[in-house]
Amino acid sequence: MHYALGLAKPVYPKWERDYKDPRHYNSPPLQEMPLYKEQTCYVFNERSSVLEGVRQALWLTKARLTAGLPPQLLSLAQDPANQIPDQDERVQDVIRHARFWDTTERRPRKHKYCYTLLNNLLHLCGVVQSRHPALGKRMLAENYTLCATWERGEDLFQVRGRNAVLLNSMAPLPALAGKQEVQSTTDHVLETFYPISPAIDLQKIHAYKRENYTGFKDDYPYPHAHTLYFLETGEVIPRLHPPQLRAKMIMFAYGNALARADKLYGPQPQSILDHPITVQAVGTNGRQFEFVIFQLNTTDLRDDQGVKNQVWLDENNLLYDYAKVRPLIRKKKVKVPAGLSGYHPETFSKFLALYLHGAVEDCIIHD
């Protein structure tokens, strides 16, 4: 039974371990897995980079897009009663802390100053909690797992994986669109991008479980998703460009809303929800901010008819133009001075408006 030159190699019997070793695990064939199904499931995960960006996300979620944030929401931050004392100066100090002061190196890395900037902005927004006690009934969560399953046409889709930092609330967000506006979405025609498949760039799997879960137990005291905060630092491959980041924000906001609707209304698709579910999302790369509000009006996405969901998108909001440790000099002229330059206060006003949404009674919409 040993190898000899010119002879065939001997065939040895396969050795089977009598103990379980996770380092030498051989998975069974796909067809023999317990969760194997013939129907293909298309999965949108946290690093999915869809080709058509927002257009593709709108088709997958059966949603109508509205450019800009609702005016009644923006009025929250414009009200002097909701503003922070010395607001602009304190926001600029937050930016300087993230970009210049929070490091012992020459300059902080992008993933570090993005995370520091977001945490400090949220901490600054919490200053108004004394005027609005409802802000104290919230909780931040990280590294939770989401799964939402739905049918779109003849295909099955899922949004799952670990997504952004989530701000949970004891009370749900009020709907931004009244019943009449929700009914008016029936006439909206969804945009198509034929011949490109709506499932392009999505992961295809056959071993899956059809389920919906928010990542939290049923007795969790903060069951309602309020705002998702996405950080895109460009250090994780593949890098998501702004159109793909906006699509990710829409998809995960929809996934959180759909998983919550499954708890409230059951797994059967509902043509129209009695109480729409609203989820917000904020995305940033440390300088530019994207704002998304998703209102789930229906869970019946099998065809393009009937009531549509709604998306408000406000994109390309710069919080500041430059934050240079050293001045940028070209041809012996200072093009960009050192320090913070080009601060845009309206971007933080929108950030604050989304944070205050649900805690101020004046923003509730009535027909």
Side-chain angles (χ1 to χ4, degrees):
M1 297 296 292
H2 65 277
Y3 176 72
L5 187 64
L7 300 179
K9 292 184 179 180
V11 179
Y12 299 101
K14 185 178 180 180
W15 177 64
E16 298 290 345
R17 292 181 176 83
D18 57 354
Y19 60 93
K20 183 178 180 181
D21 189 351
R23 297 173 299 176
H24 301 277
Y25 172 75
N26 294 324
S27 62
L30 180 62
Q31 290 76 9
E32 298 179 7
M33 291 184 177
L35 298 178
Y36 174 78
K37 297 175 180 61
E38 291 290 342
Q39 184 180 11
T40 304
C41 181
Y42 300 94
V43 178
F44 188 101
N45 55 48
E46 59 268 23
R47 300 314 300 176
S48 294
S49 179
V50 292
L51 177 65
E52 290 297 321
V54 174
R55 296 170 58 197
Q56 189 170 347
L58 293 175
W59 190 93
L60 292 174
T61 59
K62 191 181 176 182
R64 185 185 72 177
L65 177 65
T66 302
L69 297 179
Q72 65 271 20
L73 186 61
L74 295 177
S75 63
L76 289 178
Q78 297 174 359
D79 188 354
N82 299 327
Q83 292 183 355
I84 301 171
D86 301 327
Q87 178 172 300
D88 293 340
E89 290 77 7
R90 299 177 73 172
V91 174
Q92 293 181 62
D93 286 342
V94 165
I95 300 172
R96 294 187 184 98
H97 174 254
R99 295 302 305 263
F100 305 132
W101 305 337
D102 188 29
T103 182
T104 57
E105 303 176 355
R106 182 176 177 180
R107 65 181 64 183
R109 297 184 180 273
K110 192 170 185 179
H111 72 275
K112 180 178 178 60
Y113 74 71
C114 284
Y115 192 79
T116 302
L117 178 66
L118 176 62
N119 283 343
N120 289 350
L121 288 178
L122 291 174
H123 180 75
L124 183 60
C125 292
V127 173
V128 297
Q129 180 177 337
S130 58
R131 304 176 216 166
H132 307 290
L135 294 176
K137 300 179 180 180
R138 297 178 180 178
M139 181 66 67
L140 280 173
E142 297 184 50
N143 296 327
Y144 72 100
T145 304
L146 170 74
C147 182
T149 309
W150 75 98
E151 293 182 357
R152 188 75 173 94
E154 299 180 355
D155 298 324
L156 185 68
F157 294 91
Q158 275 190 350
V159 173
R160 71 182 187 186
R162 295 182 178 179
N163 57 356
V165 178
L166 174 63
L167 181 65
N168 287 325
S169 176
M170 288 185 175
L173 278 171
L176 286 173
K179 294 182 180 180
Q180 294 181 359
E181 186 177 350
V182 171
Q183 288 293 339
S184 66
T185 61
T186 307
D187 301 330
H188 177 70
V189 179
L190 296 175
E191 184 180 6
T192 180
F193 34 89
Y194 179 84
I196 298 177
S197 171
I200 192 172
D201 295 328
L202 299 185
Q203 181 185 4
K204 300 178 182 179
I205 61 174
H206 285 272
Y208 58 89
K209 185 185 296 185
R210 298 188 61 163
E211 59 182 351
N212 294 277
Y213 58 86
T214 61
F216 304 94
K217 295 183 178 180
D218 294 337
D219 57 348
Y220 185 58
Y222 307 92
H224 303 283
H226 187 279
T227 306
L228 296 139
Y229 295 97
F230 295 87
L231 298 177
E232 183 55 41
T233 60
E235 298 185 358
V236 181
I237 304 299
R239 177 173 177 261
L240 298 183
H241 297 279
Q244 283 69 39
L245 175 61
R246 297 173 199 132
K248 176 183 175 181
M249 295 166 61
I250 294 174
M251 293 300 297
F252 273 92
Y254 165 75
N256 280 272
L258 184 62
R260 184 59 187 166
D262 181 78
K263 296 289 185 182
L264 297 177
Y265 299 98
Q268 295 299 325
Q270 303 288 325
S271 58
I272 183 170
L273 302 181
D274 297 334
H275 301 283
I277 300 175
T278 305
V279 179
Q280 303 176 152
V282 178
T284 181
N285 60 357
R287 188 171 71 100
Q288 180 174 303
F289 281 75
E290 318 283 347
F291 302 102
V292 168
I293 302 177
F294 192 96
Q295 181 170 313
L296 184 70
N297 300 322
T298 177
T299 57
D300 187 4
L301 277 67
R302 287 171 291 188
D303 53 35
D304 295 346
Q305 308 301 321
V307 172
K308 313 297 189 302
N309 298 314
Q310 293 175 268
V311 173
W312 289 266
L313 173 62
D314 194 344
E315 57 188 26
N316 298 330
N317 296 275
L318 289 177
L319 184 61
Y320 55 92
D321 291 335
Y322 299 100
K324 295 289 186 181
V325 177
R326 293 184 176 181
L328 179 62
I329 301 176
R330 292 288 184 271
K331 296 181 178 180
K332 298 183 180 181
K333 292 184 179 181
V334 178
K335 299 295 183 181
V336 181
L340 178 65
S341 59
Y343 169 65
H344 301 276
E346 63 276 2
T347 300
F348 178 75
S349 297
K350 298 176 182 178
F351 186 93
L352 180 60
L354 266 66
Y355 186 85
L356 293 174
H357 188 201
V360 182
E361 297 180 357
D362 295 342
C363 191
I364 301 177
I365 306 304
H366 301 281
D367 282 338

